[in-house]
Amino acid sequence: MLPIWYAWLDPFMLGPIIQKAGLAWGQHPGELVAVWHNWSQDVWRWQGAAWQGWITPKSEDPFPAKEDDQRFTQAIWQESPFWDSIKEWYLFNTRWLQDTLYITPDLDDRERNLAAFWLRQWLNAIAPTNFLPLNPVAQHRALETRGESLLAGARNFLRDVAEGSIAMTDRDAFQVGKNLATTPGSVVYRGKLLEVIHYQAESDKVHAVPMVIVSPWINKYYVLDLDDKKSLIRFLVKQGFSVFVTSWKNPGPEDSELAFDDYVTEGIDRIAEVAREISGNATVHVTGYCIGGTLTSLWLAWLARRKEADKVASATLLTTLTDFERPGDIEVFIDEDGLAFIDRKMAQQGFLDGKDMAASFRMLRSNSLIWNYWVGNYLMGETPKAFDILYWNMDTTRMPRKMHSFYLREFYQHNKLKDPDALTIAGQKIDLGRITTPLFMVSTEEDHIAPWKQTWKLIPRVASELTFTLSSSGHILGIVNPPSPTSRRQYWQGRPGRTENPEEWFAEQACQPGSWWPSWVEWLAPRSGGMVDFKMSSRKHPRLCDAPGTYVLE
């Protein structure tokens, strides 16, 4: 039995897996000899190519980098025999180690995937590009600037240490309420869990059915209101909708006992009540994004159980998981050891720090989201380019202990939301099969957080009229996808059959250029009633302050 302190030293229990792998190879000496033979053959290939490079230019690399690997794209890695040999040594050993791990005997799939993930992190970390003595581009930059790039890199490093994360964008280029989250509106409700922002209409008349947007509380809402050109909220306002959005409170230690039930009763149910009261309309449209979409799905089943489904005219689910069997790359953190580690951290502080969560997601794409900025910020001494989505991504939020532990265990680990009546939320048994509300689902092709074929699994479970849209790009850019004559995006859209699999559906759809936003509005319009007078607030829910409010600044 391992000592208690070992769980802090090795929270994902990699040590026992490495030990098991070593014993396995010891029990299969024939296979071990074969893999070392493969390595020795690669050494000879590398050595031959290295010597040849000093005599004549190479026509091709014996161990080429992957197409999406941007670390060795500068000409010096190809043209200099010395630096080319270092690059090729790294690449062939990287490939060999990963291939060898995947054929290690006696490891189960979980052990193999977990070990592969952490091996990839280590291999990415030791790339020659990450070290000044092994990075010719950074060395040239230092000589060219007479050392100024190194001084700037040191300043950047000290700045990022103080901030607690590697800067992905110029932090000084943005300010919420100044050049982000600028759509005019007012806070019309403030509670322990959220502020409700209601946006100013651009005309006297609006659609009778208001739009309620349930943003993910894992991040701040303004990803849907970045600037005038990219704002989904501004787009809806211009289409004549009365738009309300959740601006979730950033919880502290005093909020550790906030439960998932609270996010239903004091979150989504509360904003829907505010929207109905101010608008005077009996129903609302609801749009949920990411975990906000998971909450929306659950709430629709909760309302159906209470015989209150008629409060919702339609629901739109953006990149929404309701079946967590294959939740994407993040599943490497979702096992008993990983969850126990997270629980211990949350027990100490009462919440999970958003920076910890952001670091986990960045590790899923560590070359592009960590080491790219390590090299740029510190070795090259550069200030990252101003990019609003990356600023939003770094503007992290905290997760209250009780809610987040429940969410990770009951949704991700035990996958109970997919099973009828397996979850009881705010006094009601939850069965997605009770949902009859018209649904508009949007998923994205390259989503590593909510893979589109996994989001599809809601379709056979509900009894709704349903439209499914697959947008190009990923979890953020596939959603923040405004109409534009220069758009490079595309989408596929249609009514899926309840027994149809995603591959069959996709094969039948025509690719449509541009943004899916206009087609969504066309879908919403006939479900939105006539045009009525716009009301910003009411006696019960008066204006408290201007948008973007106070919670988003916490």
Side-chain angles (χ1 to χ4, degrees):
M1 170 162 302
L2 294 169
I4 294 175
W5 56 263
Y6 185 81
W8 283 102
L9 184 64
D10 182 13
F12 294 95
M13 297 297 162
L14 285 172
I17 295 175
I18 294 170
Q19 184 180 37
K20 182 179 178 180
L23 291 172
W25 280 116
Q27 293 168 2
H28 295 80
E31 289 89 340
L32 182 60
V33 169
V35 297
W36 279 112
H37 175 72
N38 291 339
W39 182 80
S40 65
Q41 292 292 102
D42 282 346
V43 170
W44 281 109
R45 287 181 62 201
W46 169 79
Q47 190 174 54
W51 280 112
Q52 184 66 30
W54 289 99
I55 301 170
T56 59
K58 278 192 319 179
S59 59
E60 60 181 23
D61 290 330
F63 309 101
K66 293 181 179 178
E67 288 185 8
D68 61 348
D69 189 344
Q70 299 297 308
R71 293 173 295 179
F72 304 104
T73 55
Q74 292 91 347
I76 194 170
W77 290 107
Q78 185 74 24
E79 296 171 356
S80 164
F82 175 75
W83 293 113
D84 178 71
S85 65
I86 289 177
K87 173 196 71 177
E88 292 292 291
W89 177 264
Y90 169 76
L91 289 173
F92 101 71
N93 278 287
T94 294
R95 187 187 70 177
W96 179 82
L97 281 166
Q98 291 178 314
D99 289 347
T100 300
L101 173 63
Y102 275 108
I103 61 172
T104 299
D106 303 335
L107 294 183
D108 60 35
D109 287 343
R110 175 198 162 272
E111 292 168 331
R112 202 178 309 277
N113 291 336
L114 187 64
F117 175 80
W118 290 107
L119 174 63
R120 188 163 64 251
Q121 301 309 310
W122 179 70
L123 291 172
N124 290 343
I126 65 167
T129 47
N130 298 336
F131 301 93
L132 183 63
L134 297 176
N135 188 325
V137 181
Q139 292 174 23
H140 177 75
R141 174 71 174 162
L143 291 172
E144 186 180 53
T145 62
R146 299 185 179 184
E148 180 56 37
S149 63
L150 300 181
L151 291 174
R155 289 193 294 268
N156 290 345
F157 180 77
L158 294 174
R159 174 205 64 200
D160 289 352
V161 167
E163 290 285 343
S165 63
I166 299 177
M168 301 169 70
T169 186
D170 183 358
R171 291 186 176 98
D172 297 330
F174 300 102
Q175 187 176 349
V176 176
K178 298 295 184 183
N179 56 357
L180 296 172
T182 59
T183 301
S186 301
V187 173
V188 293
Y189 172 83
R190 181 180 294 124
K192 66 177 182 180
L193 199 55
L194 83 166
E195 289 180 335
V196 173
I197 300 174
H198 187 199
Y199 291 94
Q200 178 64 50
E202 294 200 353
S203 61
D204 294 336
K205 301 286 186 178
V206 292
H207 292 288
V209 181
M211 172 62 74
V212 167
I213 298 178
V214 183
S215 60
W217 55 91
I218 288 176
N219 296 98
K220 295 182 178 179
Y221 83 89
Y222 65 85
V223 69
L224 301 174
D225 188 30
L226 289 169
D227 62 28
D228 288 352
K229 293 181 179 179
K230 292 196 283 269
S231 173
L232 178 64
I233 289 170
R234 177 68 65 95
F235 175 78
L236 288 170
V237 169
K238 288 183 175 180
Q239 304 306 310
F241 287 93
S242 179
V243 181
F244 297 78
V245 72
T246 56
S247 180
W248 300 99
K249 182 173 175 57
N250 200 2
E254 69 280 4
D255 301 306
S256 67
E257 292 304 304
L258 281 173
F260 205 92
D261 289 14
D262 295 314
Y263 281 76
V264 173
T265 58
E266 297 300 319
I268 186 170
D269 200 55
R270 179 68 65 204
I271 188 175
E273 180 272 323
V274 171
R276 286 194 301 269
E277 196 277 332
I278 289 177
S279 68
N281 199 70
T283 64
V284 296
H285 295 303
V286 180
T287 296
Y289 185 11
C290 188
I291 189 175
T294 303
L295 178 64
T296 298
S297 305
L298 186 152
W299 179 67
L300 294 175
W302 185 81
L303 287 177
R305 177 78 177 190
R306 291 161 56 97
K307 311 296 184 186
E308 296 176 348
D310 58 355
K311 290 182 177 180
V312 184
S314 80
T316 298
L317 305 177
L318 308 178
T319 61
T320 293
L321 285 176
T322 55
D323 185 322
F324 293 76
E325 181 183 7
R326 291 287 183 269
D329 295 346
I330 196 67
E331 67 183 325
V332 71
F333 298 108
I334 309 299
D335 62 9
E336 185 55 43
D337 295 327
L339 293 179
F341 174 69
I342 294 170
D343 279 341
R344 289 193 296 272
K345 290 203 74 170
M346 293 194 295
Q348 284 187 323
Q349 32 190 30
F351 56 82
L352 180 65
D353 195 309
K355 291 179 179 177
D356 293 333
M357 184 175 295
S360 299
F361 281 108
R362 290 176 75 168
M363 289 172 71
L364 302 179
R365 300 288 184 272
S366 60
N367 272 339
S368 58
L369 297 180
I370 297 176
W371 300 113
N372 172 54
Y373 295 101
W374 172 276
V375 173
N377 292 5
Y378 311 145
L379 302 191
M380 304 295 288
E382 298 169 343
T383 298
K385 293 180 181 179
F387 190 14
D388 47 13
I389 289 178
L390 292 179
Y391 180 89
W392 163 83
N393 192 59
M394 295 182 67
D395 191 6
T396 57
T397 57
R398 298 178 287 271
M399 302 294 107
R401 180 199 62 80
K402 185 173 182 178
M403 181 284 299
H404 202 56
S405 180
F406 178 89
Y407 173 62
L408 291 178
R409 290 190 176 277
E410 300 304 320
F411 290 71
Y412 275 94
Q413 185 181 29
H414 302 308
N415 199 15
K416 287 186 177 179
L417 182 56
K418 70 178 178 60
D419 297 326
D421 296 338
L423 281 176
T424 299
I425 301 291
Q428 304 297 326
K429 296 283 188 182
I430 301 301
D431 179 1
L432 298 176
R434 296 190 183 98
I435 298 175
T436 58
T437 305
L439 296 181
F440 189 98
M441 294 176 63
V442 183
S443 297
T444 61
E445 252 190 315
E446 302 166 20
D447 199 329
H448 63 280
I449 296 173
W452 79 270
K453 292 179 183 178
Q454 195 65 27
T455 67
W456 181 277
K457 292 188 175 182
L458 177 64
I459 292 171
R461 294 198 171 107
V462 297
S464 302
E465 170 206 332
L466 199 146
T467 295
F468 189 87
T469 301
L470 180 65
S471 175
S472 61
S473 198
H475 191 73
I476 304 300
L477 294 179
I479 299 303
V480 183
N481 178 18
S484 167
T486 59
S487 174
R488 292 178 292 176
R489 305 273 186 266
Q490 55 193 11
Y491 66 97
W492 298 261
Q493 189 174 93
R495 295 278 303 273
R498 214 161 296 287
T499 60
E500 192 173 18
N501 68 47
E503 292 85 1
E504 292 171 341
W505 174 88
F506 183 77
E508 296 168 356
Q509 308 310 312
C511 179
Q512 303 185 55
S515 170
W516 55 269
W517 291 8
S519 67
W520 178 39
V521 168
E522 289 177 10
W523 184 88
L524 287 169
R527 298 169 173 83
S528 301
M531 304 301 285
V532 299
D533 291 338
F534 173 76
K535 288 175 56 183
M536 171 58 78
S537 58
S538 68
R539 182 174 298 177
K540 184 176 181 180
H541 298 296
R543 286 186 69 258
L544 302 178
C545 66
D546 290 336
T550 59
Y551 284 1
V552 74
L553 304 177
E554 295 179 339

